[in-house]
Amino acid sequence: MHDPLRRRRRRETHVAQAMGHLAIRAGAEVRFHKTSRILADLAGGHADRTFDKRLAAHVKADLLILDDFAMREFTPGQADELYELIS
């Protein structure tokens, strides 16, 4: 049985990657991350007190692509971290 949601997510990822490739060709620095992984990295920054350094490393790119965004409900802390990341 085919999972239409899975196919849609795959298409969305493909489009995001294509946008990233176009930006790279235009000379931009691009970072592509699964949202869950970037949130885990930022949470680790709270644990070892490197949150600001980790956040700065993620936002220095010209284009940050967060794949699988909002696939799950975020905790209030994760929502705050995402706000910091994209604002």
Side-chain angles (χ1 to χ4, degrees), residues 3 5-7 18 20 24-25 28-29 31 37 41 47 51-52 55-56 59-60 64-66 75 79 81 83:
D3 182 358
L5 181 60
R6 186 175 185 183
R7 283 186 299 175
I24 290 168
R25 289 171 136 185
E29 180 183 346
R31 291 188 177 216
R37 289 193 183 144
D41 180 60
F51 177 81
D52 290 335
L55 181 64
V59 299
K60 78 175 189 171
L64 175 63
I65 299 171
L66 299 176
T75 66
E81 290 168 358
Y83 179 78

Side-chain angles (χ1 to χ4, degrees), residues 10-82:
R10 203 172 325 143
R11 281 192 307 265
E12 291 168 354
T13 297
H14 181 77
V15 169
Q17 289 172 340
M19 290 172 58
H21 283 238
L22 286 173
I24 290 168
R25 289 171 136 185
E29 180 183 346
V30 177
R31 291 188 177 216
F32 182 94
H33 296 282
K34 286 196 175 283
T35 302
S36 60
R37 289 193 183 144
I38 207 166
L39 287 172
D41 180 60
L42 292 173
H46 288 299
D48 66 6
R49 300 178 189 251
T50 61
F51 177 81
D52 290 335
K53 182 178 178 182
R54 292 178 190 219
L55 181 64
H58 290 302
V59 299
K60 78 175 189 171
D62 299 312
L63 175 62
L64 175 63
I65 299 171
L66 299 176
D67 194 34
D68 293 338
F69 189 84
M71 294 301 295
R72 292 180 255 167
E73 189 172 329
F74 299 123
T75 66
Q78 289 173 326
D80 288 342
E81 290 168 358
L82 282 172

